[in-house]
């Protein structure tokens, strides 16, 4: 009984007042937390490739991936805070991120620079798709604030795809 009361008290302490239904809070939080796990995974992969870049275009690619990493990381706090604003709780650990993320990890000892760019391009395309899915959930429940933030993040992901595509082109192709 005391254990149940303690659990209820902890849950009540985290209950942010919102105009959304319990179902909306559950579904929007799940969609946003999934996207947040993917954003963290993409951030770390981008930084990994930034740190391990090599070759004749080192400086350009190194700076590009540093810029991308900063842009991706900048999404994490507003995304997590949005989960809290809609009445949910957000990610708590690296383990939860690993279990939730749909962006594949890469811990290879060496990745060719062109392969890095191609892999990140595909990952950013995947993130844009994941964000579109989350946008659909937000639209379904009338969460225009989350949807409007997501629209900006989709645009940023598409910009990264464009830059990675152009940087990865060879010759006049």
């Amino acid at each position: 009984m005391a254990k149940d009361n303690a659990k209820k008290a902890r849950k009540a302490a985290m209950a942010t007042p919102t105009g959304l239904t319990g179902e909306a809070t559950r579904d929007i939080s799940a969609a946003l937390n999934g996207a947040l796990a993917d954003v963290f995974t993409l951030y770390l992969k981008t930084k990994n490739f930034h740190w391990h870049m090599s070759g004749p275009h080192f400086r350009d690619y190194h700076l590009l991936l540093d810029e991308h990493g900063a842009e991706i990381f900048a999404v994490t706090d507003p995304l997590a805070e949005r989960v809290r604003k809609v009445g949910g709780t957000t990610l708590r650990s690296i383990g939860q991120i690993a279990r939730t993320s749909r962006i594949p990890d890469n811990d290879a000892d060496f990745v060719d620079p062109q392969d890095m760019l191609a892999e990140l391009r595909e990952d950013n395309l995947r993130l844009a798709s994941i964000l579109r899915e989350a946008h659909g959930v937000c639209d379904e429940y009338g969460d225009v604030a989350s949807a409007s933030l997501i629209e900006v993040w989709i645009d940023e992901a598409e910009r990264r795809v464009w830059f990675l595509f152009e940087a990865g082109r060879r010759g006049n192709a």
Side-chain angles (χ1 to χ4, degrees):
M1 177 109 160
K3 190 175 186 178
D4 288 339
N5 288 339
K7 185 175 181 180
K8 285 179 186 176
R10 283 191 307 272
K11 190 169 186 160
M14 295 300 293
T16 303
T18 178
L20 297 170
T21 66
E23 180 183 11
T25 293
R26 181 197 66 219
D27 293 350
I28 293 168
S29 295
L32 297 179
N33 274 325
L36 180 59
D38 294 318
V39 168
F40 271 120
T41 301
L42 182 56
Y43 166 73
L44 190 55
K45 183 188 265 189
T46 300
K47 292 305 286 189
N48 170 30
F49 288 171
H50 159 80
W51 296 322
H52 295 98
M53 184 55 69
S54 64
H57 301 288
F58 167 79
R59 185 177 191 286
D60 291 336
Y61 295 165
H62 183 77
L63 294 174
L64 176 68
L65 298 186
D66 196 35
E67 176 186 304
H68 285 188
E71 185 176 273
I72 294 164
F73 188 73
V75 172
T76 60
D77 197 51
L79 187 50
E81 288 179 355
R82 197 65 213 144
V83 173
R84 294 290 293 126
K85 289 176 189 176
V86 301
T89 57
T90 194
L91 301 175
R92 291 183 167 82
S93 69
I94 299 285
Q96 190 177 10
I97 291 168
R99 289 187 301 275
T100 307
S101 182
R102 294 152 292 185
I103 304 272
D105 200 4
N106 185 328
D107 59 1
D109 288 340
F110 177 80
V111 180
D112 180 82
Q114 290 298 315
D115 292 339
M116 289 179 182
L117 299 179
E119 190 170 330
L120 290 174
R121 183 187 70 236
E122 293 305 311
D123 291 341
N124 277 280
L125 275 171
R126 177 74 180 123
L127 180 62
S129 175
I130 288 163
L131 290 169
R132 283 186 187 92
E133 291 170 15
H135 190 284
V137 173
C138 295
D139 282 347
E140 179 182 339
Y141 293 107
D143 181 8
V144 295
S146 294
S148 68
L149 289 170
I150 291 169
E151 289 167 3
V152 172
W153 300 329
I154 291 168
D155 183 60
E156 290 173 354
E158 290 174 338
R159 181 179 183 271
R160 290 189 301 271
V161 169
W162 173 38
F163 274 55
L164 291 161
F165 170 74
E166 291 297 342
R169 291 176 66 158
R170 296 177 190 226
N172 294 329

